Amino acid sequence: MKAGRTIRQQRGPVAAVIAICALIVLYGLARLLSGVLVEYWWFRSLGQGSVYTRILFTKVWLWWAGFAVAFCAPALGFLIARRSTGPVLVTNIRWGSFAFSLAGARRMVGALFWAGAVVVGLAGGSAAVALWRRVLLFLHRTPFGVTDPIFQNDIGFYVFTVPLLGYLRGMLVVLVWVSLVVAALYYVVSGVLAVGQLAVLPQRALSHLNKTVAVIFLLAAAGFFLERYELLYSTAGVTYGAGYADVHVRLPACWMMLAASVGLAVALFRANSPARTRGVLIALGVWAGLWLLSRALCPALIQAVRVTPNELQLEEPYIARSIAHTLAAYKLDGIREVQYAVAEDLSYEEVLADPQTIDNVRLWDWRPLRDTYRQIQAIRSYYDFNDVDVDRYELARGYTQTLLSVREMQHEKLAPEARTWVNERLQYTHGYGLCLSPVNEATEDGLPLLTVKDIPPAGPPQLSLTQPQIYYGESMGDYVFVNTATEEFDYPLGDENVRVRYAGEGGVPVGGPLSKVLFALYFGDVKVLLSEDLAKGSRVMYYRHVRSRVQRLAPYLLLDDDPYPVVHEGHVVWIQDAYTATRLYPYSRPSLNGRLNYIRNSVKAVVDAYDGKVTLYVADPDDPLIRAYSSIFPGLYTPLDQMPGSLRRHLRYPERFFSMQVAMYAAFHMRDPRVFYNQEDLWELAFERYRGQEQPVEAYYIIMRLPDSEEAEFLLMLPLTPKGRDNMIAWLAGRCDGEHYGELVSYRFPKGKLIAGPLQVESWIDQDPDISQQLTLWGQGGSRVIRGNLLVIPIAGGILFVEPLYIQAEAGAIPQLKRVLTAYGKRVAMAPTLAESLRAVFAAGEPAAARPVEALAVEGAVPPGEAAGLLQQALDRYGRAQAALQEGDWAEYGRQMGLMKQRLDALNEVLGAPEAE
């Protein structure tokens, strides 16, 4: 009986451990099941359940295929080895002075080998799952319509086929090595193989090992075959891609090593005796010598003796290939290049003759404006403005460039005692409304003139918001529940809060016991299961961040960093630019630290801020990658021509894509291989001084009239300078409007003319004694002087510079727009408004004899001869005021009438100015 109690006492802890392990396994399986179902429900809520099932089934199929192949490799090695030697095991293994006893492991050896095969199979299955995208792209590959110049293969072969072949070859190499190691281990365990006793191996065992090694060399031969294609991405020459030494030395060397590897494999297949095996060892030494000769000695020798002394002559055709393929890969081959003869005698009247450009000069930088929005429009501490974006709208004043920011909910900013589960998950579920203001207008106090503001949002009819709730945004990542027993907080109204119930179709239904269990497991939150507020009709919203939402739906797309909001049909939608990219475009120089060398802005994703609906529009149907993805996931992508016209008018050329293109164009605008080789005309991004630090000028949006266009348009631009110099050499524009969307234009300055760049203009501003003294006085008074981005504005054939200046009374105070700096030629001026600053900078350039004495004495006086321009501006403001009156926008009407009065007062000043004696 004591023995029985002892056995039961021993079984108790074992049973507990088994029970705990079983619970862990069950919990893991439940988490796995909840993940699959919750993810599927999310895709289905967007109408894309088939996308998830396609990816899931592909992964499952690949896992089983990978498991089967990976399991078979060690299993075959073990079975063949056991068949070659039999199941006889020795009691002890000795390697020199080391001895290991197998007396207690005799029965476990087979089980251990099979367990090892299972482990290898699991690893192989997991590795194969990562191939799902490559496998689907291979199955739905599409041609690029362009061939490489060396092998004459379509580019699609390198993008869709070669990567998969390389990955599969690598996996097979690993598995064959595993099979070899397993077989060798079995031979050791069986006592057949010991150190120094290779010659006494049975013929079958020796033949097995030799044939396994032969397979490794056959795979090496396949590797040399694929390595030929890697020469298209060579960095050994003067430019990216296969050069002279690659084509004439390394390519033949690949064929030589391929033949040597096949020959060695054949010899290994035939080596079924120790005598022949010794001959194989000699052949292996020869193979190693050839490898060293082909990899290190010959290429270096040819490069030093043949290529370097004649580099330009020999490399010229390869440089031309790299230039052509890089331009095509970054969509720069269609850029239009125009000479821009900079006018040095621009007049004030000529500037006034382009009112659409002047009226849309951006005087508000997004950083100080975001701080201002937070101070004057956050309303409550739990609201925040995450970013400020540039767009354009048709307002009463006409085609207007605007800045806008969405008011999002920030749970982190709730009071600590208010950060309860009910508040964060059930009540404070959404942001509310947005702020919008023109880029160039400010109040008398230096604050932005808000067109849309407050809670509830107030603005002109064309910007009215019928659904101002923001459930999906740039900083709203947590999951929330709507349509629960607890009403949601909508917005503050005086001392009371307005409540609301969600009326949309966003999110996934939750309320049943099973769904609550699954969501509790998925979120790791037991309160989801215990909450009595979740009932029939409740919905859960997750993946609420715009970027993560699009990335979840299309994980293979590269996303832009800056989604931007658009007011469309009474509610807010987000536009997220997405790219297709690869690093496998032959001869194209890589960027982003080698991550890609081909990119297209192929997709415009639109995310509704109220219900989270995602629509992926194909913006570049000629891109082979997006055509392949459209074939893989039918129904996921929508042609761009099906996008509503009112929304399409808000598409922007993306900054990230444009900046990448400009960085490449700075070097590859040199299309002559000889000029490119000498780097005679290398450009770089212009630099500016911002908040005391030199930094590259960031691409900026502007409404302006291009030199060869009749209408002003919304575009993205960047100035360029020669490498290592501060003067400008060119500026690039990416067009955003209408049928011209996506067009790139390069305006080049005459090389014989010195055009000042942003840093030089910054220096002129610093050297101006009056401006410098005023800035110093403001700074000494305890205020913080913030100089905004210096804008380069091509206008009327000349180049104008504008820089806003803000004053911040103290840390945390509201930044106020106080002055506008302008520069033309070497003249600079500073005034409270852009109009006054322009008047001053052009007045400073007139000869003294041409100006009235009284005008010289009066600060900010209007130069004569501009009456027609002022009259036209006054009439334009009157027309805008009447348009605002018809739309019932009384605030805009009053503002335009005030601006008209300013123009009439200035006109009166000009007409009433006495003539010089």
Side-chain angles (χ1 to χ4, degrees):
M1 295 180 62
K2 291 183 178 180
R5 285 198 300 269
T6 301
I7 293 174
R8 286 194 295 271
Q9 290 173 356
Q10 292 176 347
R11 288 179 176 175
V14 174
V17 171
I18 293 175
I20 292 173
C21 291
L23 288 175
I24 292 174
V25 171
L26 287 174
Y27 178 73
L29 291 174
R31 286 293 302 269
L32 178 63
L33 177 62
S34 69
V36 170
L37 288 176
V38 169
E39 289 287 316
Y40 173 71
W41 290 339
W42 183 83
F43 275 84
R44 190 177 62 180
S45 71
L46 297 176
Q48 301 296 340
S50 60
V51 172
Y52 182 74
T53 55
R54 169 66 64 89
I55 296 174
L56 178 64
F57 290 156
T58 303
K59 288 182 176 180
V60 170
W61 180 85
L62 287 173
W63 190 93
W64 281 110
F67 176 85
V69 173
F71 174 82
C72 287
L76 284 174
F78 168 63
L79 291 174
I80 296 174
R82 189 172 67 175
R83 184 178 179 183
S84 300
T85 61
V88 179
L89 299 176
V90 297
T91 304
N92 296 286
I93 296 177
R94 289 185 177 277
W95 279 2
S97 60
F98 175 78
F100 179 68
S101 175
L102 293 175
R106 182 183 298 270
R107 297 180 179 178
M108 298 179 59
V109 170
L112 288 174
F113 275 104
W114 286 116
V118 171
V119 171
V120 173
L122 293 174
S126 299
V129 167
L131 288 174
W132 72 268
R133 186 175 67 89
R134 290 180 177 177
V135 169
L136 289 175
L137 282 175
F138 172 76
L139 295 175
H140 297 266
R141 57 192 180 277
T142 56
F144 275 65
V146 179
T147 58
D148 78 277
I150 303 297
F151 305 105
Q152 301 302 314
N153 291 318
D154 186 87
I155 301 299
F157 174 71
Y158 304 103
V159 174
F160 300 118
T161 303
V162 173
L164 182 61
L165 294 177
Y167 195 96
L168 292 176
R169 189 202 73 88
M171 288 185 65
L172 289 175
V173 168
V174 172
L175 292 176
V176 175
W177 272 107
V178 168
S179 181
L180 180 65
V181 170
V182 167
L185 283 175
Y186 186 83
Y187 289 136
V188 169
V189 170
S190 64
V192 173
L193 178 62
V195 175
Q197 298 182 7
L198 183 63
V200 299
L201 266 176
Q203 182 175 344
R204 294 178 64 181
L206 181 62
S207 177
H208 174 209
L209 293 179
N210 284 343
K211 288 178 179 178
T212 305
V213 175
V215 174
I216 292 175
F217 276 96
L218 286 178
L219 291 171
F224 288 119
F225 182 81
L226 294 176
E227 188 178 314
R228 300 175 309 128
Y229 302 133
E230 294 180 10
L231 296 177
L232 296 171
Y233 316 102
S234 172
T235 57
V238 295
T239 188
Y240 191 80
Y244 182 88
D246 296 309
V247 173
H248 292 85
V249 181
R250 294 184 178 89
L251 181 57
C254 286
W255 284 114
M256 180 181 67
M257 290 307 302
L258 186 154
S261 299
V262 171
L264 186 55
V266 171
L268 283 164
F269 274 118
R270 300 179 61 186
N272 53 6
S273 66
R276 289 189 174 182
T277 301
R278 294 189 187 95
V280 169
L281 293 177
I282 296 173
L284 182 61
V286 174
W287 184 91
L290 290 174
W291 184 88
L292 181 64
L293 184 69
S294 64
R295 288 305 178 96
L297 299 180
C298 283
L301 181 64
I302 297 299
Q303 183 71 32
V305 175
R306 171 67 175 156
V307 178
T308 301
N310 309 284
E311 194 167 56
L312 178 56
Q313 177 186 355
L314 297 178
E315 297 284 7
E316 183 174 351
Y318 305 102
I319 295 173
R321 293 170 180 174
S322 180
I323 293 172
H325 281 70
T326 299
L327 291 173
Y330 289 92
K331 208 172 184 179
L332 291 167
D333 50 346
I335 190 170
R336 186 162 60 92
E337 297 175 340
V338 181
Q339 289 297 317
Y340 190 83
V342 182
E344 297 180 348
D345 55 350
L346 195 63
S347 68
Y348 184 52
E349 289 76 12
E350 289 175 304
V351 173
L352 292 181
D354 192 355
Q356 283 187 296
T357 299
I358 293 300
D359 288 349
N360 285 285
V361 172
R362 179 166 59 84
L363 300 182
W364 284 101
D365 289 348
W366 71 270
R367 297 175 187 87
L369 183 62
R370 181 180 61 177
D371 294 339
T372 302
Y373 278 174
R374 286 171 171 172
Q375 293 278 357
I376 66 176
Q377 279 291 304
I379 311 297
R380 293 290 189 271
S381 62
Y382 40 76
Y383 287 131
D384 191 24
F385 295 98
N386 180 71
D387 192 15
V388 178
D389 293 288
V390 182
D391 203 353
R392 68 283 198 196
Y393 288 87
E394 284 287 349
L395 303 180
R397 55 177 284 185
Y399 194 46
T400 305
Q401 187 177 356
T402 61
L403 292 160
L404 67 161
S405 184
V406 172
R407 189 182 289 107
E408 299 189 44
M409 175 66 68
Q410 294 285 335
H411 289 154
E412 296 81 5
K413 294 188 175 184
L414 287 170
E417 59 274 10
R419 295 200 61 183
T420 64
W421 189 87
V422 171
N423 279 343
E424 293 190 359
R425 303 294 178 221
L426 307 182
Q427 292 203 75
Y428 292 89
T429 56
H430 57 272
Y432 202 87
L434 53 80
C435 285
L436 183 145
S437 56
V439 296
N440 70 327
E441 296 190 17
T443 66
E444 293 181 356
D445 298 327
L447 300 179
L449 191 63
L450 299 174
T451 303
V452 179
K453 59 183 178 179
D454 299 339
I455 297 178
Q462 64 269 35
L463 291 174
S464 62
L465 290 173
T466 56
Q467 284 184 334
Q469 293 85 0
I470 310 296
Y471 286 91
Y472 300 86
E474 290 187 271
S475 59
M476 303 173 70
D478 293 337
Y479 58 94
V480 295
F481 299 90
V482 296
N483 283 345
T484 66
T486 300
E487 287 188 324
E488 301 169 57
F489 163 78
D490 198 23
Y491 61 88
L493 186 64
D495 295 333
E496 301 293 330
N497 290 330
V498 177
R499 301 284 175 174
V500 71
R501 284 192 175 278
Y502 182 70
E505 296 296 326
V508 175
V510 58
L514 177 60
S515 62
K516 290 175 68 174
V517 169
L518 292 174
F519 279 110
L521 286 169
Y522 185 78
F523 295 130
D525 188 352
V526 71
K527 295 184 182 67
V528 176
L529 180 61
L530 301 178
S531 175
E532 297 180 359
D533 289 302
L534 303 182
K536 185 177 180 181
S538 297
R539 308 178 76 87
V540 56
M541 295 179 175
Y542 47 107
Y543 299 135
R544 297 198 299 144
H545 191 285
V546 172
R547 293 186 75 248
S548 66
R549 196 167 183 82
V550 176
Q551 193 74 83
R552 205 75 184 181
L553 183 61
Y556 42 82
L557 295 177
L558 180 66
L559 300 187
D560 195 87
D561 296 328
D562 186 27
Y564 59 97
V566 174
V567 179
H568 176 64
E569 295 182 351
H571 56 128
V572 177
V573 298
W574 297 90
I575 297 181
Q576 169 72 67
D577 284 289
Y579 311 99
T580 49
T582 180
R583 57 180 178 82
L584 299 170
Y585 199 97
Y587 273 107
S588 175
R589 179 183 291 183
S591 57
L592 294 183
N593 298 319
R595 290 176 57 195
L596 60 85
N597 68 351
Y598 169 94
I599 185 171
R600 291 291 186 271
N601 178 212
S602 298
V603 176
K604 301 286 187 180
V606 177
V607 181
D608 193 290
Y610 186 72
D611 61 22
K613 179 184 177 183
V614 181
T615 306
L616 303 181
Y617 292 99
V618 176
D620 190 349
D622 296 328
D623 172 41
L625 285 170
I626 200 60
R627 293 207 309 268
Y629 286 125
S630 298
S631 176
I632 295 170
F633 304 110
L636 177 60
Y637 293 97
T638 303
L640 188 64
D641 56 16
Q642 294 184 23
M643 176 184 285
S646 56
L647 183 58
R648 192 168 180 174
R649 285 193 288 271
H650 292 278
L651 295 182
R652 306 187 317 190
Y653 202 104
E655 286 186 57
R656 184 179 184 183
F657 184 39
F658 182 71
S659 298
M660 193 181 304
Q661 288 179 304
V662 172
M664 282 296 163
Y665 186 73
F668 287 89
H669 72 276
M670 298 180 288
R671 306 193 186 202
D672 186 325
R674 292 179 175 271
V675 175
F676 188 92
Y677 174 81
N678 294 319
Q679 299 289 280
E680 297 175 12
D681 194 20
L682 191 62
W683 299 347
E684 64 180 354
L685 297 180
F687 276 72
E688 66 172 342
R689 192 174 297 114
Y690 185 78
R691 296 195 175 188
Q693 300 291 327
E694 288 188 8
Q695 65 176 30
V697 174
E698 297 177 352
Y700 53 91
Y701 294 99
I702 185 173
I703 288 181
M704 61 169 286
R705 184 170 58 84
L706 290 175
D708 50 357
S709 177
E710 296 296 327
E711 296 293 330
E713 59 185 284
F714 187 73
L715 52 86
L716 183 63
M717 69 169 290
L718 257 179
L720 291 163
T721 64
K723 180 72 173 178
R725 297 170 61 187
D726 294 334
N727 61 287
M728 282 197 301
I729 192 68
W731 58 279
L732 263 70
R735 306 177 76 174
C736 302
D737 285 350
E739 61 182 9
H740 298 295
Y741 176 86
E743 294 180 7
L744 291 177
V745 189
S746 170
Y747 292 93
R748 300 186 176 199
F749 299 150
K751 292 187 177 180
K753 185 181 292 187
L754 189 66
I755 308 300
L759 269 184
Q760 293 172 316
V761 173
E762 296 273 18
S763 297
W764 295 342
I765 293 173
D766 293 337
Q767 293 165 9
D768 186 277
D770 295 332
I771 295 175
S772 179
Q773 181 182 14
Q774 185 62 64
L775 297 182
T776 302
L777 288 174
W778 278 325
Q780 290 176 346
S783 298
R784 181 185 179 193
V785 179
I786 303 173
R787 287 168 62 174
N789 294 115
L790 181 65
L791 302 181
V792 181
I793 303 175
I795 184 171
I799 297 293
L800 184 67
F801 296 88
V802 177
E803 181 177 271
L805 189 145
Y806 314 94
I807 303 295
Q808 193 171 19
E810 57 186 14
I814 301 175
Q816 295 173 294
L817 177 63
K818 286 299 183 184
R819 293 292 186 271
V820 179
L821 297 158
T822 56
Y824 176 70
K826 290 189 177 181
R827 308 191 299 270
V828 297
M830 183 175 71
T833 66
L834 175 62
E836 293 175 282
S837 187
L838 287 174
R839 205 155 51 219
V841 77
F842 282 100
E846 292 183 9
R851 287 179 287 161
V853 175
E854 289 82 1
L856 292 172
V858 179
E859 180 181 355
V862 182
E866 62 181 67
L870 288 171
L871 179 59
Q872 181 60 45
Q873 287 190 48
L875 290 172
D876 180 60
R877 296 296 177 179
Y878 177 75
R880 296 180 183 182
Q882 293 302 309
L885 182 62
Q886 292 178 1
E887 295 179 4
D889 189 350
W890 292 99
E892 180 69 12
Y893 172 78
R895 189 177 69 84
Q896 292 296 339
M897 291 299 290
L899 292 172
M900 183 187 74
K901 183 178 183 301
Q902 292 179 10
R903 267 60 173 184
L904 292 175
D905 290 343
L907 177 63
N908 183 61
E909 184 179 331
V910 171
L911 296 177
E915 296 182 357
E917 296 179 358

